[in-house]
Amino acid sequence: MGRKMEWAGRANHMGGIPRKLVFMAVGAFAKAVATLLNTTSVHNADTLIRLVQSRPPGVPLLTVSNHMSTLDDPVMWGFKGFPSSDAKLARWVLAAEDICFKNALLSYFFRIGKCIPITRGAGIYQEHMNEALDRLSDGAWLHTFPEGKVSQEDGPIRRLKWGTASLIVRAPVTPIVLPIVHHGFEE
C-alpha cells in the first residue's frame, strides 16, 4: 500500500504554506469551540505549554488521552493560552485510517494537519506506526488515543492498545510522557 500521501505531511511541502493555513483555520475553529461556545477548565495547562514550547532539544513529547469524540483533536488544544495555530509547535497525531483517510481530499487535509494514518487492528508493526516512531526519533510531539477508538462510556478507561507502549519502548530517546484526561467532549 505504501505510505499514504506521506509527502503532504512534510514541513517543506509547498513551502509549508498549506500546513500553516490548515493550522490557522483549524486552530481558530478549536479556539472558538473551546472558549467561545463552551466553558473550558484546564488543570496544569502550564506544564503542557512548557513541554510543547521548550523541552530539551531532541527529546520527544508523547501525550496520551482518552477519546470521547471525533473532535477531541483539535478541540482539546483550543484552550486559552495554547498555541493551537502554530504549525511548527503542533502535535503529530495517530488518526484512524478508515475515518480520516477515506479519499484523496481527506487524506491530503489530514496529512497537512500532521495526522498519521493508523489501521486499527493491524498491529504495532504496521508501516505507519514506523512513521510515528520516526516523528518521535525526530524529537517531535506525538499525541495518541491508546483506547484505539471513541468511547463515551461514563466509567473507567477501557483496555488500552499496545501501540503507544510500543512507541515508548522503541523510541531511540525515551519520550516525555504526559497523560491527559478530558470529559464533556461527547456533548
Side-chain angles (χ1 to χ4, degrees), residues 19-139:
R19 177 175 287 170
K20 288 176 187 171
L21 292 173
V22 163
F23 274 97
M24 284 174 30
V26 173
F29 168 78
K31 292 258 185 228
V33 171
T35 61
L36 298 176
L37 301 176
N38 291 285
T39 302
T40 305
S41 298
V42 180
H43 302 278
N44 299 320
D46 55 328
T47 300
L48 175 62
I49 293 169
R50 180 178 41 80
L51 288 171
V52 167
Q53 294 179 332
S54 61
R55 69 187 172 279
V59 176
L61 172 62
L62 180 64
T63 52
V64 297
S65 74
N66 56 320
H67 202 4
M68 302 294 289
S69 84
T70 55
L71 289 178
D72 289 350
D73 185 297
V75 174
M76 66 188 297
W77 315 121
F79 64 87
K80 187 177 181 183
F82 191 79
S84 58
S85 296
D86 189 331
K88 288 183 182 176
L89 292 178
R91 89 295 167 263
W92 286 88
V93 64
L94 303 183
E97 189 170 37
D98 61 322
I99 294 172
C100 300
F101 296 86
K102 287 182 179 182
N103 58 49
L105 182 62
L106 286 174
S107 295
Y108 184 70
F109 176 78
F110 283 104
R111 276 304 201 160
I112 288 172
K114 297 172 84 170
C115 298
I116 300 171
I118 292 298
T119 304
R120 292 185 277 197
I124 63 173
Y125 295 109
Q126 63 180 284
E127 186 174 11
H128 295 296
M129 284 296 283
N130 291 332
E131 183 182 344
L133 186 59
D134 290 344
R135 299 297 71 80
L136 290 175
S137 299
D138 295 340

